[in-house]
Amino acid sequence: MSLVIADEVVAALSEGRGVVALESTLLAHGLPQGRNLEVGARLERIVREAGAVPATIAVLDGVAHVGLTPEQLERVCSPGLAKLSLRDLGPAYALKRDGATTVASTAALAHRAGIGVFATGGLGGVHLSVPAGSASWDVSADLDVLANTPVTVVCSGVKSILDIAATVEVLETKSVPVVGYRTDYFPGFYLRESAHTVPWRVDDPAEAAAVVAAHRTVTSSGVLLVNPVPVEHELDRDLHDRLLSDGMALLQERGITGKDVTPALLEFFHNGSGGTSLSANTELVANNAQLAAEVAVQLSSR
């Protein structure tokens, strides 16, 4: 009753063709008005051109939709949608709300619909502690969902404003395989490389699909396929490090903590980089949609 799958997606799944899930929080909360609709349409076009079917996911009037019409996509890109993680789906259904789905809720709904590949920008992770050196209990639900949902998430690691070391450790503890796409390092979203290596590397979509297919015979957890931001769109490292340092100081000065940390830092990066960070965000998620579609096509051929 609370899930509607678009006819095109149903047909593709029944015929064994590749399908790629796309989240809606990026559009509703991660990009400015106007540009978000342009990016949403572009992502769907990229997936189609690579031979797969896109399934953007959102909740509208208390019903989860897997695959949106152009009119529904416009609605998702309009102001006022709630941000829905997995814990929020039940209340949104019951109260008949509109909401954009996060990585956690998108992965769960994609799996319920029978979709095994999902493209996004960055995975949620362990948040940096504010003030520095204190314990951080702010851990994204994305990590638990990935540990328990057999969906392959294609992303550019986690945002470098998060605690990458702690996030990598949690993924290891939860037995989520992290596979680098043409990289030996865990990406830092705006940066192609962090200080942390990945345990496995693949160099083409066929290898990635083989790893995913083999993993599915072992356990029911997801796979994290990390794909660095294209080199021409990487944020200058010196600028990045300065913005991160200044941004953390600003958080402490203003007493910003908890769920408000990430939005505040992202806005600080956008303003401080003259919009360069927003361009990096847009291009890396487009690159991830391309790779996810190629992997989904390879999996369908198996």
Side-chain angles (χ1 to χ4, degrees):
M1 294 294 292
S2 58
L3 183 71
V4 172
I5 307 174
D7 291 344
E8 179 187 25
V9 176
V10 171
L13 291 171
S14 65
E15 295 165 8
R17 293 186 282 128
V19 179
V20 175
L22 300 167
E23 63 154 302
S24 49
T25 289
L26 166 72
L27 305 178
H29 301 284
L31 296 170
Q33 293 296 308
R35 187 165 185 177
N36 55 358
L37 181 57
E38 175 188 329
V39 171
R42 179 186 175 194
L43 296 179
E44 293 198 349
R45 184 170 62 252
I46 287 170
V47 171
R48 292 185 196 283
E49 289 175 352
V53 172
T56 305
I57 296 178
V59 175
L60 300 173
D61 298 318
V63 176
H65 289 262
V66 179
L68 303 179
T69 66
E71 293 75 21
Q72 288 172 331
L73 187 61
E74 284 190 35
R75 187 171 164 186
V76 165
C77 293
S78 301
L81 268 73
K83 184 176 181 179
L84 305 179
S85 188
L86 182 58
R87 69 174 186 174
D88 304 304
L89 291 180
Y93 293 166
L95 300 175
K96 301 190 183 305
R97 300 291 171 79
D98 292 347
T101 53
T102 65
V103 170
S105 51
T106 302
L109 290 169
H111 173 56
R112 186 176 168 196
I115 301 169
V117 181
F118 165 32
T120 186
L123 186 72
V126 181
H127 287 239
L128 289 167
S129 55
V130 180
S134 62
S136 174
W137 296 99
D138 191 349
V139 181
S140 172
D142 296 355
L143 303 183
D144 270 336
V145 172
L146 186 57
N148 295 287
T149 309
V151 172
T152 296
V153 178
V154 181
C155 70
S156 296
V158 300
K159 292 182 176 68
S160 45
I161 60 176
L162 300 180
D163 189 332
I164 297 179
T167 301
V168 170
E169 182 61 35
V170 171
L171 288 166
E172 180 180 351
T173 299
K174 294 183 177 296
S175 297
V176 175
V178 179
V179 182
Y181 187 74
R182 297 177 180 171
T183 183
D184 297 310
Y185 291 89
F186 194 89
F189 196 73
Y190 298 126
L191 302 177
R192 288 179 59 80
E193 296 180 357
S194 70
H196 307 278
T197 58
V198 292
W200 299 100
R201 170 178 174 146
V202 295
D203 289 294
D204 60 54
E207 283 188 337
V211 168
V212 171
H215 178 72
R216 289 174 178 174
T217 69
V218 177
T219 183
S220 60
S221 69
V223 174
L224 189 63
L225 181 60
V226 291
N227 184 32
V229 58
V231 63
E232 65 271 23
H233 296 290
E234 182 179 26
L235 202 62
D236 177 79
R237 187 173 288 271
D238 289 338
L239 173 62
H240 169 276
D241 292 347
R242 177 174 60 78
L243 289 173
L244 181 57
S245 177
D246 292 349
M248 293 300 293
L250 184 68
L251 294 179
Q252 190 162 352
E253 176 186 322
R254 296 184 178 178
I256 299 173
T257 59
K259 66 179 182 180
D260 297 323
V261 168
T262 296
L265 279 176
L266 288 177
E267 182 179 4
F268 186 80
F269 263 73
H270 174 57
N271 293 333
S273 68
T276 304
S277 65
L278 186 60
S279 295
N281 190 346
T282 300
E283 295 306 323
L284 68 84
V285 74
N287 194 40
N288 294 340
Q290 174 76 31
L291 175 57
E294 292 172 352
V295 172
V297 169
Q298 288 291 328
L299 282 167
S300 68
S301 70
R302 300 178 69 90

